[in-house]
Amino acid sequence: MRKPVIAGNWKMYKLLGEAVETALALKPLAANANHCEVIIAPVFVHLKTLADRLEGSNIKVAAQNCASETSFGAQTGEISAEMLKDVGASHVIIGHSERRQFYGESDESVNKKTKAALAFSLTAVVCVGEILAERESGNAESVVKRQIVGALGGLTVTDMERIIIAYEPVWAIGTGKVAAPEQAQEMHGFIRGVIAETHGGEIAEATRILYGGSVKPDNIAGLMKQTDIDGALVGGASLEAESFAQIINYK
Ligand code: 13P
């Protein structure tokens, strides 16, 4: 049985005070959510504070990126997976489409960063998803397959226990245009098939595949009814404790 994951990606939003306020407001609202794992991903500089303030709660803290290098070194502006672990992160989002689009992330860097995360026992939330032109030209599946195969290259069966996939069609991110549940299911089923090819059927069955892109309180239940949708990576609607709590408590 795959335990659902509801993760909030706070992107580059909130100053520290507001981040703490939202996290503390979320704590009681998420306290009875035993049916899923709850994660929030604030900006790097808020990780330590939020991890401390949420200690003992059922809310875990994720980073939104990490360096591909694993050892200390002359890498101005980078933050290693070890440093994230050290300040209390348990998860790290890797290869978000905004990083692929605006910061030159490639399948190769996503693979390196995923391995760096695993080296320090973080769980990697690896993001994939096609842009609108790729969907319209009928290439969505081939793009997503390339991203999955690229991200998971060289990972062992044991490594896969600490991998979560997030399928985020780029055309659905921040647009209010959520993928239809059946449309998302089709891609999730396809992704599971790709993982079965790369790592075997058992691993594919155990891997959580989250959907992301305009998830809101009023569409989460329909998405979660799909067999291969194991949770959500939520942007905008995770910024307020009340709306994020409604998504967490979709049942
Ligand atoms: P929205 O929920 O705002 O569409 O963002 C999705 C996303 O990018 C989560 O990583």
Side-chain angles (χ1 to χ4, degrees):
M1 209 32 203
R2 299 184 293 267
K3 188 165 190 179
V5 175
I6 305 289
N9 176 7
W10 285 0
K11 306 191 179 186
M12 198 175 76
Y13 286 100
K14 297 182 185 294
L15 298 178
L16 180 60
E18 198 197 340
V20 170
E21 205 175 290
T22 308
L24 294 184
L26 187 64
K27 221 161 129 172
L29 300 176
N32 296 321
N34 301 315
H35 59 283
C36 66
E37 286 178 24
V38 180
I39 303 168
I40 53 174
V43 294
F44 286 131
V45 291
H46 299 169
L47 279 171
K48 168 79 176 139
T49 307
L50 292 200
D52 286 349
R53 301 297 295 264
L54 291 170
E55 208 179 330
S57 79
N58 59 338
I59 305 171
K60 295 180 182 131
V61 176
Q64 299 173 15
N65 183 26
C66 73
S68 50
E69 295 302 323
T70 48
S71 46
F72 297 134
Q75 300 280 333
T76 303
E78 289 294 285
I79 298 176
S80 72
E82 184 177 21
M83 292 165 183
L84 299 176
K85 184 81 182 176
D86 187 45
V87 296
S90 55
H91 293 66
V92 55
I93 297 171
I94 295 180
H96 190 279
S97 65
E98 286 148 18
R99 298 214 55 86
R100 292 180 191 256
Q101 276 185 294
F102 310 130
Y103 296 95
E105 294 270 359
S106 62
D107 293 334
E108 196 189 347
S109 66
V110 169
N111 180 246
K112 275 188 91 173
K113 290 180 177 196
T114 301
K115 287 176 177 160
L118 296 175
F120 293 100
S121 310
L122 291 167
T123 295
V125 181
V126 176
C127 302
V128 297
E130 79 285 359
I131 63 171
L132 185 60
E134 291 162 342
R135 175 156 288 266
E136 286 179 339
S137 60
N139 292 318
E141 289 191 347
S142 63
V143 167
V144 169
K145 180 169 185 173
R146 190 206 73 222
Q147 292 171 333
I148 293 279
V149 171
L152 305 183
L155 266 57
T156 65
V157 160
T158 315
D159 288 337
M160 288 298 291
E161 289 169 11
R162 275 184 289 111
I163 296 292
I164 295 172
I165 303 292
Y167 168 59
E168 301 203 300
V170 179
W171 47 270
I173 296 179
T175 58
K177 278 191 220 153
V178 63
E182 301 71 27
Q183 194 178 23
Q185 163 58 31
E186 206 178 321
M187 186 61 91
H188 282 232
F190 174 75
I191 292 170
R192 206 174 298 289
V194 173
I195 299 172
E197 282 172 32
T198 60
H199 288 84
E202 205 176 314
I203 295 297
E205 274 311 305
T207 303
R208 273 88 55 90
I209 307 175
L210 318 185
Y211 168 80
S214 297
V215 173
K216 307 286 176 216
D218 65 0
N219 58 31
I220 181 70
L223 290 161
M224 292 304 292
K225 281 199 189 103
Q226 305 299 314
T227 2
D228 289 298
I229 300 186
D230 307 313
L233 182 54
V234 186
S238 73
L239 292 171
E240 293 202 348
E242 290 72 23
S243 62
F244 192 42
Q246 283 177 45
I247 294 173
I248 292 165
N249 299 309
Y250 62 89
K251 279 194 163 226

